[in-house]
Amino acid sequence: MVDKSKASIQYDSPALIIGGGIAGISTAIELLDRGQQVLLIDRDEECNFGGMANEAFGGMLFVDTPLQRLNGIKDSKQLALDDWFGAAEFSTQKMQDPLAKAWANAYIERSREDVYDWLKNVGIQFFPIVHWVERGDYGFKQGSRGNSVPRYHVVWGTGYGLTQTLIQTLMNHKNKHKLSIKFQHKVDSFLFAGSKVIGCRGSIEGSLAQAFQINSHQVVICAGGINGNLAQVKKHWDVETYGEYPENILSGSHPYADGLLHDEVSNSGGSIKNRGWMWNYASGIKHPKPEYPNHGLSLMPARSSLWLDAKGERIGPMPLVTGFDTHNLCKVTGQLEGQYSWQVMNYKIACKELAVSGSHLNKAFLNKSWLGILKMALKGNEEMVQWLMSDCDDVVVADNVPSLVGKMNELEALDIPVKLSHVQSAVQGYDDQIQRGLKFTTDDQIRKIHFMRQWRGDKVRTLKSQKILDEKAGPLIAIRTRIISRKSMGGFETNTRSEVVGQSGLVMEGLYAAGEAAGFGGAGCSGIRSLEGTFLSLCILNGRVAGQTIAAKLNQKADVKASASETENNKREISA
């Protein structure tokens, strides 16, 4: 608790950044580039500087890059914009948010130069093969459209390498003397003079336990979204889209992403929109070593695994396959009885195709190891699969289907028994389709796998026509998966200068938001469906734009002050 007997610490800074994630760091770099004095505060400890970006795999969506052209990919800004608007469903009656659309346009127009090239200039490299994610389920129809071509650029070194590089850029900046960073500082409220923001108040957490006040006329909120606070997630849950709020939901976002500053600004007249727009995942599992309540991991599911419902029936009529429409996977899972699913595969499939999202669980990319990449291409990720099999409560292993179903039914808190006949029918039916060959298969999952393997980025990590009941590929594995809360796609409504807009429609002078706090721009520039790879890069773009806007205002004020001073001096000279 804060010791109220201690006097409040006072800080003064022309520019204040709340949140030391990648959006806040990018904002600070931009301000230092322009010679401005900056105070950056973060709620966490210094050892966690950079926030959740340290844990990210590190994929970013870019359009018409040299790397795409090197991979033979023909892309254009217009094609990307058409894909974006189709996936976002901006043309529907519910999606009439002009500032969200403006940020979508801004990202497509500026991301290559202002993010991709900018990162290259500070030493970031990208894996040479561009990945193809979120392809869309049906084609070019609204709501089913995805990335028409591969656009997912993976940072060589993962999100951890990206974040640490930007931290080093910040800490080694030529204007570092103009930067002050304070950790374990939690903001509770904002200070206003009329409708203008003039600072904030909060408390220092940890051993100091003291109140503070910061006086600043340029305040940037980069404190994340709401998805680390499951009470907020439940409050804003989109029942119409995803079904009733799943009480078994897992948390894949940090608890400090609690949405409390959203509420604070909303109560002060700020526009907070679309908090029900979330980018969650349907393939969450319990974290073997949880760091906070309901802590989960998000799987990148095997394409050749079968998704079954709680009773063991194959989900359909369209089978679930990852890599096409993440939003739809959550919609389907949310409507299932029990709101969880089973993914059934064998050991060979798991090693070759299964992955877990995150930087430290993808060691070859994290360590920039070409030998590790080659080993994964040839043998798969056996170390990760063995870890899941031995340590994760949601994973069961058996040598045959009856034993597997028996172990599935032994898991705790299962009110819906898995039926052996359902699982046997699903697995045998799938294997029979593979046996017929591609010429005669009518199974959409097998067709999609064949389609995926046409792109070399997927061919190397997707098996060809792999049966589940392959005696040489065992043992069998079943993984219980459920929805995991991840990213907020709504938030502070911002214009394309990163200024927060009030409920009146006017700018709240002196207040800005960037990154996930702003729904990555405009309180929802991705609409209801992301093309993936836009989150880290939008944090950078939002932050850079905020820094540019603030620097321009501070320079303008300095020019006005200098001009006034010069005028006064001239008057004195004339008078003399």
Side-chain angles (χ1 to χ4, degrees):
M1 291 182 62
V2 174
D3 186 350
K4 295 183 178 179
S5 67
K6 295 182 180 180
S8 176
I9 298 175
Q10 299 277 336
Y11 305 105
D12 293 278
S13 179
L16 167 65
I17 301 168
I18 302 170
I22 200 167
I25 292 168
S26 300
T27 306
I29 291 172
E30 198 69 26
L31 284 165
L32 292 182
D33 283 348
R34 285 159 169 73
Q36 302 299 328
Q37 184 179 336
V38 185
L39 171 59
L40 188 156
I41 65 171
D42 190 75
R43 184 176 173 181
D44 215 332
E45 300 176 18
E46 185 173 1
C47 60
N48 296 321
F49 191 21
M52 288 296 289
N54 281 303
E55 305 296 323
F57 181 52
M60 298 190 199
L61 181 146
F62 296 118
V63 180
D64 195 22
T65 63
L67 197 53
Q68 280 180 301
R69 293 194 287 274
L70 188 65
N71 279 265
I73 301 165
K74 295 180 180 180
D75 200 4
S76 70
K77 291 179 179 179
Q78 187 58 56
L79 179 61
L81 196 63
D82 290 343
D83 288 347
W84 190 302
F85 273 52
E89 300 191 30
F90 276 144
S91 62
T92 63
Q93 195 63 35
K94 289 170 61 178
M95 312 286 280
Q96 302 302 316
D97 291 322
L99 292 181
K101 294 178 183 178
W103 264 111
N105 277 285
Y107 181 79
I108 296 299
E109 188 61 37
R110 300 179 58 174
S111 63
R112 158 70 197 283
E113 293 80 6
D114 290 356
V115 183
Y116 179 86
D117 291 345
W118 187 73
L119 290 175
K120 297 278 281 186
N121 287 336
V122 299
I124 295 296
Q125 296 178 311
F126 294 94
F127 189 67
I129 298 176
V130 182
H131 287 65
W132 198 354
V133 298
E134 293 300 303
R135 302 177 185 215
D137 259 333
Y138 309 111
F140 289 89
K141 177 179 159 184
Q142 176 186 285
S144 63
R145 185 162 183 158
N147 286 302
S148 297
V149 296
R151 297 187 175 113
Y152 193 77
H153 298 62
V154 178
V155 173
W156 192 224
T158 70
Y160 180 80
L162 167 72
T163 307
Q164 295 304 309
T165 298
L166 291 181
I167 289 174
Q168 289 303 310
T169 301
L170 181 67
M171 302 309 290
N172 296 330
H173 201 282
K174 65 180 182 179
N175 290 326
K176 168 67 167 51
H177 61 284
K178 296 189 174 185
L179 171 69
S180 180
I181 304 177
K182 304 291 181 183
F183 293 98
Q184 293 186 281
H185 280 53
K186 176 180 179 289
V187 173
D188 298 319
S189 62
F190 293 91
L191 304 174
F192 289 89
S195 61
K196 177 177 172 53
V197 173
I198 58 171
C200 67
R201 289 194 181 101
S203 55
I204 302 173
E205 299 184 321
S207 58
L208 291 177
Q210 192 169 2
F212 68 83
Q213 177 173 317
I214 302 174
N215 303 311
S216 178
H217 288 213
Q218 307 293 329
V219 179
V220 192
I221 301 173
C222 303
I226 71 171
N227 279 59
N229 183 346
L230 293 184
Q232 286 267 3
V233 173
K234 183 175 184 178
K235 179 179 179 181
H236 299 288
W237 189 256
D238 184 353
V239 175
E240 182 181 344
T241 300
Y242 301 112
E244 293 298 321
Y245 173 76
E247 297 295 341
N248 63 1
I249 194 170
L250 295 168
S251 178
S253 185
H254 198 281
Y256 287 168
D258 55 20
L260 300 185
L261 293 186
H262 293 69
D263 291 339
E264 183 67 25
V265 172
S266 178
N267 292 336
S268 300
S271 177
I272 315 296
K273 300 178 71 173
N274 305 320
R275 278 187 270 192
W277 294 359
M278 303 176 191
W279 195 243
N280 300 324
Y281 295 95
S283 51
I285 57 173
K286 286 184 182 179
H287 199 301
K289 295 181 179 179
E291 298 175 10
Y292 43 83
N294 301 104
H295 190 184
L297 289 171
S298 180
L299 295 182
M300 291 183 275
R303 283 82 177 264
S304 301
S305 63
L306 295 186
W307 290 56
L308 312 180
D309 66 15
K311 295 178 180 178
E313 289 189 282
R314 192 174 178 194
I315 298 170
M318 173 167 283
L320 301 188
V321 186
T322 190
F324 290 87
D325 189 344
T326 298
H327 174 75
N328 186 59
L329 297 180
C330 290
K331 283 174 64 176
V332 171
T333 301
Q335 304 290 345
L336 292 175
E337 184 180 3
Q339 296 181 301
Y340 66 89
S341 60
W342 291 98
Q343 294 178 33
V344 174
M345 66 204 80
N346 56 44
Y347 184 75
K348 182 178 179 180
I349 291 171
C351 289
K352 187 70 170 180
E353 299 184 7
L354 187 65
V356 180
S357 180
S359 56
H360 292 83
L361 294 169
N362 290 275
K363 294 180 180 179
F365 285 92
L366 173 67
N367 299 325
K368 303 180 183 180
S369 170
W370 287 110
L371 183 61
I373 294 293
L374 180 61
K375 181 180 176 182
M376 283 179 58
L378 295 174
K379 294 186 176 182
N381 196 342
E382 288 190 276
E383 181 182 353
M384 182 208 68
V385 174
Q386 289 287 347
W387 174 65
L388 290 175
M389 289 166 58
S390 62
D391 289 12
C392 183
D393 292 342
D394 287 318
V395 179
V396 296
V397 183
D399 291 326
N400 54 63
V401 173
S403 296
L404 187 73
V405 172
K407 291 186 177 182
M408 291 162 76
N409 281 321
E410 289 172 4
L411 287 186
E412 295 180 5
L414 281 184
D415 298 325
I416 308 170
V418 182
K419 293 187 177 181
L420 175 60
S421 60
H422 289 341
V423 179
Q424 286 177 323
S425 176
V427 172
Q428 192 60 59
Y430 181 77
D431 283 2
D432 287 347
Q433 286 272 351
I434 290 176
Q435 183 65 35
R436 292 185 195 128
L438 286 173
K439 286 183 179 180
F440 305 105
T441 186
T442 57
D443 191 295
D444 277 330
Q445 181 169 352
I446 297 171
R447 289 170 171 169
K448 285 185 173 180
I449 290 171
H450 177 66
F451 168 51
M452 281 184 156
R453 282 178 51 83
Q454 305 311 301
W455 176 242
R456 60 178 177 170
D458 291 308
K459 185 175 183 179
V460 72
R461 57 196 185 98
T462 307
L463 292 167
K464 179 182 179 181
S465 302
Q466 176 59 53
K467 294 180 181 179
I468 307 292
L469 300 177
D470 180 350
E471 294 181 358
K472 297 179 181 180
L476 298 175
I477 299 172
I479 305 176
R480 179 179 57 180
T481 55
R482 46 195 150 141
I483 293 174
I484 182 168
S485 172
R486 290 286 278 180
K487 301 178 182 76
S488 302
M489 297 211 296
F492 293 90
E493 189 174 17
T494 55
N495 60 21
T496 51
R497 291 164 52 85
S498 289
E499 297 170 308
V500 173
V501 174
Q503 294 164 14
S504 65
L506 301 176
V507 166
M508 296 185 75
E509 189 177 350
L511 188 62
Y512 309 80
E516 192 170 354
F520 303 99
C525 66
S526 292
I528 65 168
R529 185 186 286 100
S530 171
L531 291 179
E532 275 285 17
T534 59
F535 302 122
L536 289 174
S537 44
L538 273 163
C539 284
I540 293 169
L541 182 60
N542 287 177
R544 291 197 67 203
V545 168
Q548 292 161 8
T549 303
I550 292 170
K553 288 187 177 182
L554 292 175
N555 285 332
Q556 185 180 33
K557 288 181 180 179
D559 290 343
V560 170
K561 187 175 181 180
S563 178
S565 177
E566 184 179 353
T567 300
E568 185 62 29
N569 288 336
N570 289 337
K571 287 181 179 179
R572 287 173 182 169
E573 290 176 7
I574 292 170
S575 176

